[in-house]
Amino acid sequence: MGGKPSFVSKLFDVMNRIEYRRIISSEDMEAVARLRRKAYTRAKMRVPPAGKLFIDDLDFDPQAYVYGIYCDEQLISSIRIHHVTPAHRVSPCRNLFTDTIDEFLNAGMTLIDPVRHASDPELFDDLPALPFLTLRIATMASEYFKADRCLSLVPPRHYPFYKRVFRTQEVAPPIINTPGYDIDLGLLAANIPLELAGVYKRYPFFRSQPFERRMMFASPDELGTMPLTIRPTARYLAAA
């Protein structure tokens, strides 16, 4: 008699229902804005005034990528990825922790800054894997862009999750009542060259095939035609 399915096997099963979508159209962006407001309101974080879309100028930065995660064609989560380089220092984390981020960049490092993580709070009970499905995009970005560090701007109560899963280390202490967020946020960073292989070994659902990463992050000119949706490829790698 077989035992209960493991967390990894259950997450792979959920991934069969998951699609990623790079958010480009105004209609999809408005849906993401509504989800952000819903998630941030539940978390008691600052949201724009009523009637104003939860969208900012950084959503349209040339090295920012906004994604929606869909389950059974329903938007369930979203995240924005910033590819931060010494020549392109646009990063929400840099706005808050300038000295720390510039120390990385001045050393010639490139960074992934995942922000605006918003998941539908009504789905946590049904989809406890939602943070993993969303943050998988950050691991793909870290590999695609060959980043040196992946940042995590998170409240201290979430430190244990990020340290356990990604082996992050605190690189700047929390800012009390962080401007623009109204909660305490600290800065963690994962050493990608050192830790990514271990992340894949512990959590194989984070893995991805090169063509999936290319569809996620390549420029429209390189792709020719932007894919409408992108299916996770981790299960195929696990089977192989």
Side-chain angles (χ1 to χ4, degrees):
M1 181 181 295
K4 292 183 178 179
S6 69
F7 174 75
V8 171
S9 64
K10 288 190 288 188
L11 196 143
F12 273 127
D13 289 340
V14 174
M15 289 181 82
N16 289 332
R17 302 159 54 196
I18 294 297
E19 294 178 341
Y20 295 125
R21 183 182 302 173
R22 198 189 300 191
I23 302 301
I24 297 175
S25 73
S26 58
E27 181 179 357
D28 285 343
M29 186 63 85
E30 288 178 10
V32 165
R34 290 192 294 270
L35 179 61
R36 287 174 177 175
R37 181 180 293 276
K38 184 177 183 180
Y40 277 47
T41 299
R42 179 69 66 91
K44 296 182 167 62
M45 297 170 68
R46 182 184 295 184
V47 298
K52 184 176 180 181
L53 287 176
F54 201 156
I55 297 171
D56 59 60
D57 291 342
L58 294 185
D59 282 312
F60 307 100
D61 181 78
Q63 290 185 199
Y65 307 80
V66 182
Y67 297 94
I69 296 88
Y70 293 77
C71 183
D72 301 332
E73 301 185 2
Q74 175 188 355
L75 178 64
I76 60 172
S77 187
S78 178
I79 197 168
R80 186 174 76 207
I81 301 291
H82 288 267
H83 177 215
V84 189
T85 67
H88 192 86
R89 303 189 176 210
V90 179
S91 161
C93 285
R94 184 174 182 268
N95 293 342
L96 297 169
F97 300 97
T98 305
D99 291 344
T100 300
I101 300 302
D102 279 349
E103 185 175 347
F104 287 135
L105 298 174
N106 291 343
M109 295 186 184
T110 60
L111 315 172
I112 295 299
D113 186 3
V115 293
R116 288 289 187 245
H117 183 176
S119 297
D120 191 331
E122 296 177 4
L123 298 178
F124 284 144
D125 291 339
D126 294 332
L127 286 172
L130 203 45
F132 293 92
L133 295 168
T134 307
L135 292 170
R136 181 174 177 268
I137 298 176
T139 66
M140 285 194 287
S142 297
E143 184 166 3
Y144 180 82
F145 291 111
K146 297 179 173 59
D148 297 287
R149 298 290 186 274
C150 184
L151 308 174
S152 299
L153 178 67
V154 295
R157 68 179 182 276
H158 290 169
Y159 277 19
F161 170 84
Y162 285 85
K163 289 183 176 182
R164 182 181 75 252
V165 175
F166 301 108
R167 298 290 194 264
T168 57
Q169 300 292 326
E170 185 183 70
V171 294
I175 297 174
I176 306 304
N177 199 26
T178 307
Y181 295 88
D182 292 349
I183 64 170
D184 302 347
L185 292 173
L187 184 63
L188 308 178
N191 185 326
I192 296 303
L194 184 65
E195 301 292 352
L196 189 59
V199 171
Y200 288 158
K201 185 175 181 179
R202 295 189 302 273
Y203 305 99
F205 46 76
F206 280 133
R207 297 175 68 194
S208 58
Q209 292 184 327
F211 78 85
E212 182 187 0
R213 297 192 294 272
R214 181 172 177 271
M215 288 193 293
M216 292 287 284
F217 302 106
S219 68
D221 290 342
E222 181 181 346
L223 290 173
T225 301
M226 289 293 293
L228 295 177
T229 59
I230 303 160
R231 300 298 298 269
T233 58
R235 178 180 286 278
Y236 307 124
L237 288 164

